[in-house]
């Protein structure tokens, strides 16, 4: 008899909770916009936040409501813009920016090449080190090698190589620019992926000062720009930059002639 | 025991995580940053409090009259699971922002043994309904306290130069052990010395 009561009580309890929950489910059901449901699965899912929203789903919801533009997602690229436009029934505006950008450390300094102000012994974090005189390097635009960008990268594309240099896995990079934002010395830049050469220096200091600070920095001597007009290099405020879109047939010679050898072939 | 004594007991003396070692899964899993830790603590506090009262009522109004006390574990699990499901729906309806912040940790409370633990302790200590309510609340607060302490420690650890073999989980376990050791200092004599019995 007792066992029957036991079965009855558990069955009734279970039944009650079951029906209660299914009733609550109907009563509390939330209608989701079909556009949101269509948009969510095609998002990249990195939740990197470059669009300015809390994550991929938040961005999808904002787009469905018409609050956000379609082209804010840089990890998704042009293919995602096309898919989203199709779902939203919007026309794709021809945007010129189709060259992919990747993060790159614009600094070749290390303990051997770069003058140190002091020995930093503290939290292993670039922004913590930058609180003390913008880092331990004498050059205040240099990479501090403490890896804040490694920690912030949502896809783990940034790492240190065996020499302690910060390297970016360009295939994995989703161009979210989080590393650019967190870098206290602005040594991390976004460069075009198709650039064959890159000038790995970030210092706008005059040449004489750069020479004292670092043996591999750009001194703004303008040899690349004036002696090799077809090098694609432009010097602005003592720092040369390379542009793949300019005529650049002479860039290998310019790289050879660079006195500090900071024009690097990628 | 007075309500203050119950609060002190379950927050400090018998802290579920650091002294009783119940509900350790979210303690390690969700304590990586303090924001999530506080959210998890708040939702566990809600579930332990409500579950304490509901299981108390089921035990005394359903199981005792039918002489079915041996079914308490089974029915309590049933209550807790449904309660968490209901809580999930209600939060999703009322506050989508909170629902998003809690994420996966909300349904995981179902399997948190701290909730079942306090339901059973309420019965075995023969608390009345008000005492059961306070005990449930206190367990939740103690859980939240441990979560906040642990998440703050781990946030600091992330920035420290920890030896490679200890980095991540091992150093978190060591810190948790040291913290548990510190909580051993809270003793039952605390309540007698404060004349709360």
């Amino acid at each position: 008899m007792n066992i029957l009561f036991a079965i009855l009580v558990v069955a009734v309890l279970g039944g009650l909770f079951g029906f209660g929950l299914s009733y609550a489910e109907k009563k509390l059901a939330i209608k989701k916009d079909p556009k949101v449901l269509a948009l969510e699965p095609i998002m990249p899912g990195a939740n990197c936040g470059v669009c300015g929203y809390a994550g991929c789903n938040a961005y999808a919801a904002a787009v469905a409501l018409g609050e956000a533009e379609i082209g804010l997602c840089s990890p998704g690229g042009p293919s995602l813009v096309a898919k989203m436009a199709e779902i939203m029934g919007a026309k794709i505006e021809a945007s010129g920016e189709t060259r992919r950008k990747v993060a790159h450390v614009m600094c070749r300094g290390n303990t051997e090449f770069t003058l140190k102000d002091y020995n930093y012994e503290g939290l292993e974090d670039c922004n913590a080190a930058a609180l003390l005189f913008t880092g331990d390097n004498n050059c205040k635009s240099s990479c501090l090698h403490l890896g804040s960008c490694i920690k912030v990268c949502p896809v783990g594309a940034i790492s240190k190589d065996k020499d302690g240099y910060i390297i970016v896995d360009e295939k994995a990079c989703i161009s979210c620019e989080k590393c650019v934002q967190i870098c206290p010395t602005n040594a991390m830049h976004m460069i075009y992926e198709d650039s064959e050469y890159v000038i790995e220096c970030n210092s706008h200091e005059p040449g004489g000062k750069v020479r004292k600070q670092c043996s591999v920095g750009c001194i703004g001597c303008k040899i690349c720009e004036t002696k090799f007009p077809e090098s694609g290099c432009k010097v602005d405020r003592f720092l040369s930059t390379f542009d793949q879109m300019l005529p650049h047939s002479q860039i290998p010679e310019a790289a050879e002639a660079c006195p500090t050898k900071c024009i690097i072939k990628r | 025991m007075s309500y203050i004594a119950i609060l002190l007991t379950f927050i400090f003396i018998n802290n579920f995580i650091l002294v009783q070692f119940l509900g350790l899964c979210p303690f390690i899993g969700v304590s990586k940053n303090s924001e999530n830790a506080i959210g998890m603590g708040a939702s566990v506090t809600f579930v332990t409090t409500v579950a304490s009262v509901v299981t108390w009522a089921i035990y005394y109004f359903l199981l005792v009259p039918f002489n079915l006390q041996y079914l308490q574990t089974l029915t309590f699990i049933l209550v807790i699971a449904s309660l968490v499901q209901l809580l999930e729906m209600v939060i999703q309806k009322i506050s989508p922002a909170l629902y998003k912040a809690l994420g996966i940790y909300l349904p995981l409370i179902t399997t948190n043994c701290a909730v079942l633990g306090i339901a059973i302790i309420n019965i075995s200590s023969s608390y009345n309904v008000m005492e059961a309510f306070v005990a449930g609340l206190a367990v939740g607060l103690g859980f939240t306290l441990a979560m906040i302490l642990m998440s703050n420690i781990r946030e600091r650890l992330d920035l420290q130069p920890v030896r490679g073999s200890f980095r991540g989980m091992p150093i978190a376990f060591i810190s948790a052990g040291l913290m548990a050791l510190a909580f051993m200092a809270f003793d039952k004599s605390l309540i007698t010395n404060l004349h709360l019995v």
Side-chain angles (χ1 to χ4, degrees):
Chain A
M1 206 54 205
N2 214 352
I3 190 80
L4 277 180
F5 267 126
I7 293 169
L8 208 67
V9 164
V10 174
V12 166
L13 265 183
L16 270 180
F17 287 133
F19 280 115
L21 280 179
S22 67
Y23 179 73
E25 173 109 64
K26 279 214 179 96
K27 200 84 182 154
L28 297 170
I30 293 162
K31 272 190 200 133
K32 256 195 170 178
D33 191 337
K35 278 180 182 166
V36 178
L37 289 178
L39 285 173
E40 277 176 359
I42 63 166
M43 303 306 271
N47 290 322
C48 65
V50 72
C51 53
Y53 290 87
C56 288
N57 288 356
Y59 177 53
V63 169
L65 284 174
E67 287 172 2
E69 302 268 330
I70 284 175
L72 298 179
C73 181
S74 61
S79 65
L80 180 72
V81 172
K83 279 190 216 157
M84 288 174 81
E86 195 181 315
I87 291 168
M88 293 300 295
K91 286 234 167 75
I92 314 166
E93 299 134 41
S95 74
E97 201 67 87
T98 48
R99 292 163 78 197
R100 203 165 85 92
K101 279 185 161 184
V102 292
H104 195 88
V105 183
M106 302 300 254
C107 176
R108 282 213 303 142
N110 63 11
T111 45
E112 190 186 330
F113 299 138
T114 315
L115 189 65
K116 288 245 176 216
D117 276 349
Y118 60 92
N119 270 334
Y120 176 73
E121 284 180 11
L123 294 175
E124 209 170 300
D125 184 82
C126 302
N127 284 291
L131 291 174
L132 299 162
F133 315 105
T134 329
D136 54 351
N137 291 334
N138 191 266
C139 171
K140 298 306 178 194
S141 316
S142 59
C143 175
L144 301 178
H145 304 290
L146 290 168
S148 284
C149 46
I150 299 176
K151 283 177 207 147
V152 82
C153 182
V155 292
I158 308 177
S159 56
K160 263 189 204 176
D161 68 5
K162 58 180 191 328
D163 300 323
Y165 284 117
I166 306 282
I167 49 170
V168 179
D169 178 355
E170 284 165 7
K171 293 228 162 58
C173 178
I174 57 168
S175 0
C176 71
E177 303 192 13
K178 284 204 157 179
C179 47
V180 176
Q181 287 159 18
I182 205 159
C183 182
T185 55
N186 301 319
M188 188 69 93
H189 282 229
M190 300 306 289
I191 62 168
Y192 289 111
E193 195 193 17
D194 57 4
S195 286
E196 287 167 42
Y197 283 81
V198 61
I199 291 156
E200 286 199 342
C201 183
N202 182 42
S203 175
H204 282 291
E205 298 286 358
K209 192 164 180 195
V210 173
R211 265 221 186 279
K212 273 183 207 145
Q213 286 173 332
C214 175
S215 58
V216 291
C218 174
I219 52 176
C221 64
K222 295 207 180 182
I223 288 177
C224 49
E225 186 182 330
T226 50
K227 279 201 177 165
F228 305 96
E230 295 260 297
S231 67
C233 292
K234 275 262 175 304
V235 179
D236 173 40
R237 289 181 292 141
F238 306 105
L239 180 61
S240 178
T241 47
F242 171 71
D243 190 343
Q244 178 82 12
M245 286 316 200
L246 295 173
H248 56 273
S249 55
Q250 289 178 317
I251 185 70
E253 291 90 338
E256 193 62 42
C258 177
T260 55
K261 299 277 176 288
C262 60
I263 304 179
I264 311 289
K265 188 169 166 48
R266 294 175 64 223
Chain B
M1 276 214 281
S2 71
Y3 299 137
I4 296 172
I6 293 177
L7 275 172
L8 283 179
T9 304
F10 287 112
I11 294 178
F12 295 110
I13 300 163
N14 276 340
N15 185 299
F16 262 38
I17 286 181
L18 295 172
V19 181
Q20 307 257 40
F21 303 117
L22 291 171
L24 290 177
C25 166
F27 178 58
I28 295 296
V30 198
S31 61
K32 270 206 184 107
N33 70 60
S34 49
E35 232 170 275
N36 282 347
I38 291 172
M40 185 71 189
S43 36
V44 166
T45 307
F46 181 85
V47 175
T48 50
T49 313
V50 178
S52 288
V53 177
V54 175
T55 52
W56 187 93
I58 286 192
Y59 186 83
Y60 285 105
F61 295 128
L62 199 66
L63 299 187
V64 173
F66 288 108
N67 209 16
L68 293 171
Q69 285 89 334
Y70 62 89
L71 281 179
Q72 68 171 18
T73 312
L74 193 70
T75 47
F76 286 4
I77 287 280
L78 206 59
V79 171
I80 292 163
S82 331
L83 207 61
V84 174
Q85 284 291 304
L86 186 69
L87 178 74
E88 198 182 336
M89 286 180 215
V90 172
I91 290 182
Q92 197 174 8
K93 181 79 178 174
I94 295 173
S95 164
L98 180 65
Y99 179 76
K100 217 169 268 174
L102 292 178
I104 180 70
Y105 311 125
L106 199 54
L108 279 183
I109 300 172
T110 318
T111 53
N112 188 338
C113 57
V115 185
L116 181 66
I118 187 59
I120 288 175
I121 286 175
N122 281 336
I123 303 304
S124 62
S125 316
S126 45
Y127 286 155
N128 64 33
V129 66
M130 204 51 212
E131 284 170 337
F133 171 78
V134 175
L137 184 68
V139 163
L141 292 179
F143 182 88
T144 313
L145 176 73
M147 291 290 286
I148 292 172
L149 290 176
M150 187 63 187
S151 61
N152 283 326
I153 289 176
R154 287 183 71 175
E155 278 176 353
R156 293 296 299 266
L157 279 177
D158 278 348
L159 294 175
Q160 297 292 348
V162 179
R163 210 163 243 302
S165 49
F166 283 109
R167 208 166 292 148
M169 223 36 117
I171 193 74
F173 278 128
I174 292 172
S175 318
L178 290 174
M179 201 156 55
L181 211 57
F183 262 70
M184 293 289 172
F186 295 109
D187 191 67
K188 279 205 178 78
S189 57
L190 182 70
I191 287 179
T192 40
N193 289 342
L194 290 172
H195 305 291
L196 289 169
V197 176

